[in-house]
Amino acid sequence: MFNERDAGEKALKGRSLHKHDMGLIDRVDLPAALGLLTRLPVSVDSNRAMDRGAASAWAYPLVGVVLGVILAASVALMQWLGVPSGISAGLILAGSVILTGAMHEDGLADSADGLWGGWDRARRLEIMKDSHIGVYGVCAIALSLLLRWLGLVAIVSVGAYWVAFIAIGALSRTSMVVLMAILPNARAGGLSKSVGRPPTGTVWLAIVFGVGFAILCGYPWLILVAATATAACGLIARAKIGGQTGDILGATQQVNEMALLIAVVMMVT
């Protein structure tokens, strides 16, 4: 299986992407992306996945689509069973956390603690690496869960969850690929450093998928929202720590998800 973050980091660490591995798409990319970003039981050729590294990042938006479909199907079942919208929203929020192993929530908490709890770059990075959670992290997680639950309740209530979940899942994970490419690594180690920086073609393919699913789902305005949220996260990370880390990428996904949920609610209610 290739679905543990620690295993993924160890597998990817120290491996470089050679020219013969630089094909834009490989059969291992989607399973590798699912294994890295979710806890789904995915089997993958780990050696090939190690060689691909960040070249598989084009599939990150597709991971969001897979998760969106799973969550939307779960809501449809609960609605058929007569589960109230508020409870349905709470259950799929919990399901989202379980499916991703709280990976992005962890990044949000660590980023909030480090970026606002440290007085210089070195101290901020040190705090972000610490496994303990501080006040900023607790507040960030609490606000994230509250805002996302409120957004999900509104979307489920009007029955717009299929297209919304797919578009938000794709765009919020496209943001991670963009920051991986445009910002340098803030530290010499860590998951983001071990995965590497995606080639230009990989980034554009991820953008095509993210933008494409937003348009197909009928939410082209979400593209501007995602771009704004991603730019804000990137500018803050650049100013505070000089680049991105795995925590910053996770936080960026969470910020995008919150912003996109709010935008969808404004559109459908």
Side-chain angles (χ1 to χ4, degrees), residues 87-164:
I87 296 176
S88 296
L91 289 174
I92 61 167
L93 183 55
S96 174
V97 172
I98 292 169
L99 286 171
T100 61
M103 186 179 195
H104 306 312
E105 286 81 4
D106 180 69
L108 177 65
D110 287 343
S111 295
D113 279 334
L115 297 181
W116 274 269
W119 54 85
D120 58 24
R121 178 179 180 274
R123 179 57 180 157
R124 289 165 187 152
L125 287 171
E126 182 183 353
I127 293 173
M128 290 170 68
K129 192 174 182 180
D130 191 340
S131 60
H132 296 89
I133 185 170
V135 173
Y136 285 112
V138 170
C139 291
I141 290 296
L143 290 172
S144 170
L145 291 174
L146 175 61
L147 289 173
R148 288 155 65 197
W149 178 74
L150 290 171
L152 290 170
V153 171
I155 291 170
V156 171
S157 297
V158 299
Y161 48 86
W162 276 103
V163 289

Side-chain angles (χ1 to χ4, degrees), residues 72-89 155-159 161:
S74 300
V75 173
L77 176 60
M78 286 187 281
Q79 294 288 282
W80 180 74
L81 292 172
V83 179
S85 297
I87 296 176
S88 296
I155 291 170
V156 171
S157 297
V158 299
Y161 48 86

Side-chain angles (χ1 to χ4, degrees), residues 165-221:
F165 291 1
I166 291 172
I168 292 171
L171 278 174
S172 64
R173 286 162 180 82
T174 300
S175 67
M176 299 168 66
V177 185
V178 173
L179 281 198
M180 286 171 69
I182 65 176
L183 288 183
N185 293 107
R187 60 163 57 100
L191 182 57
S192 179
K193 177 66 175 180
S194 64
V195 171
R197 299 179 71 177
T200 301
T202 297
V203 179
W204 280 111
L205 186 57
I207 292 173
V208 166
F209 277 121
V211 168
F213 276 106
I215 293 173
L216 287 173
C217 290
Y219 292 120
W221 285 106

